[in-house]
Amino acid sequence: MTSLTLAAPVPADWRDFVALTKPRVMTLVVFTGLAGMLAAPVRIDPVLGFTAILCIALGAGAAGALNQWYEADIDALMKRTRGRPLPAGRMTREAALQFGVGLSAFSVLLMGFALNWLAAAILAGSILFYVGVYTAWLKRRTPQNIVIGGAAGAFPPLIGWAAATGSVAPLPVLLFAPIFLWTPPHFWALALFVETDYAAAGVPMLPVVAGERETRRQIGLYTLPMAASAVLPWALGLTGAIYGAVALAGTAWFAYLAARVATRRRAESDTMRPEKRLFAFSIVYLFVLFGALMVDKLVLGA
């Protein structure tokens, strides 16, 4: 990692450890994991269901902590991340590492002993993928970091389904795809309006290495398979009409916003409003899509 002198740490409090888990990111991970669990064709005991969701949350938090441990140097160089506990000097790197490793081990072991070892293995794989493949290997080396690394955030529906059933089926595999394909347009929209941050930290995000025009083109291109994958579970008869209607409407709006971003050029003193709208809606989009999946199951038994 790049050598950088961080601020001298002071004793961390509980809020710093919470911040280390990236709670906003964790919320979406937990929600999609819950959707995968509720979409399963079995009824899970409420206590075991709560335990499974807790394990997914703790695993996501552990991955976030280890990500911040590894990236403390570049976080200190970016305006939007320099206030995090490590670059701000509120925590030592050793404390973050111990917290992340301990939380990882606890979440995987609890999932294995309380639910089943298939779910635990997928959870462990998602943590290792995020930390080892995305954070340590891809993030600083290639603009494809988000494309490949997006798989890490797509595992929760599989984990939730496996926790409930002890197996994997076509539906949770199909639910993996829209999250995986959603990740590039989501993060590249962000990268377009925080490009200077990534450039300052030397992170080879697509706008930094390929330019704005190519990034916009790639946002448009990736939206097409993402749209198809979002509708596919309904088209194959694996979900009901509620999910189908929401997937069609929500994906159409996402595609419209993505098309605006893909076809425009930045003007002088541009506020990047279309890019910010796409980024903001992309988060809402996954919540709505997977919320519809749960409503489908609860209302229609789909």
Side-chain angles (χ1 to χ4, degrees):
M1 292 185 294
T2 304
S3 176
L4 186 71
T5 301
L6 302 178
V10 297
D13 66 19
W14 65 270
R15 286 166 293 194
D16 295 314
F17 285 99
V18 171
L20 209 60
T21 65
K22 298 186 177 180
R24 287 187 293 181
V25 175
M26 184 195 298
T27 302
L28 184 56
V29 169
V30 168
F31 192 79
T32 56
L34 176 63
M37 186 175 68
L38 293 181
V42 298
R43 295 191 64 179
I44 188 170
D45 178 84
V47 174
L48 290 179
F50 173 81
T51 303
I53 296 305
L54 176 64
C55 290
I56 293 172
L58 295 178
L66 292 171
N67 170 268
Q68 290 188 58
W69 160 75
Y70 193 87
E71 294 187 347
D73 57 339
I74 60 175
D75 279 350
L77 298 172
M78 296 194 290
K79 184 183 298 185
R80 70 185 185 88
T81 56
R82 66 178 56 147
R84 288 174 173 176
L86 289 174
R90 299 194 303 273
M91 183 182 294
T92 64
R93 294 188 73 247
E94 291 75 14
L97 176 61
Q98 292 167 5
F99 177 68
V101 171
L103 208 58
S104 297
F106 178 75
S107 64
V108 171
L109 290 173
L110 180 59
M111 180 74 87
F113 283 113
L115 281 301
N116 61 76
W117 291 103
L118 176 61
I122 302 173
L123 177 61
S126 69
I127 297 170
L128 291 172
F129 194 95
Y130 185 73
V131 178
V133 176
Y134 169 67
T135 301
W137 179 32
L138 298 172
K139 181 75 172 280
R140 303 175 192 235
R141 288 177 171 83
T142 171
Q144 296 301 307
N145 48 21
I146 287 300
V147 177
I148 304 168
F155 282 110
L158 280 166
I159 300 170
W161 182 287
T165 66
S167 64
V168 172
L171 179 56
V173 173
L174 290 174
L175 295 174
F176 176 98
I179 305 176
F180 176 67
L181 294 166
W182 161 94
T183 305
H186 166 73
F187 274 104
W188 286 336
L190 169 68
L192 281 171
F193 60 85
V194 296
E195 178 184 348
T196 54
D197 253 9
Y198 286 118
V203 178
M205 291 294 283
L206 195 61
V208 176
V209 300
E212 179 180 325
R213 184 173 183 177
E214 178 62 16
T215 302
R216 293 180 184 280
R217 189 177 78 89
Q218 290 293 328
I219 287 173
L221 290 176
Y222 270 92
T223 298
L224 298 176
M226 185 217 75
S229 69
V231 176
L232 191 58
W234 169 71
L236 294 176
L238 298 175
T239 63
I242 295 174
Y243 176 86
V246 171
L248 287 169
T251 302
W253 185 247
F254 188 109
Y256 166 73
L257 295 177
R260 288 195 62 197
V261 171
T263 56
R264 75 186 292 265
R265 297 292 177 263
R266 190 193 313 214
E268 192 173 345
S269 303
D270 200 319
T271 62
M272 304 290 279
R273 186 180 178 189
E275 292 75 16
K276 292 175 182 177
R277 286 185 69 191
L278 174 60
F279 176 73
F281 178 74
S282 66
I283 300 171
V284 175
Y285 171 74
L286 278 192
F287 277 107
V288 170
L289 190 69
F290 281 84
L293 180 71
M294 289 190 278
V295 173
D296 238 8
K297 177 68 175 182
L298 296 174
V299 174
L300 303 178

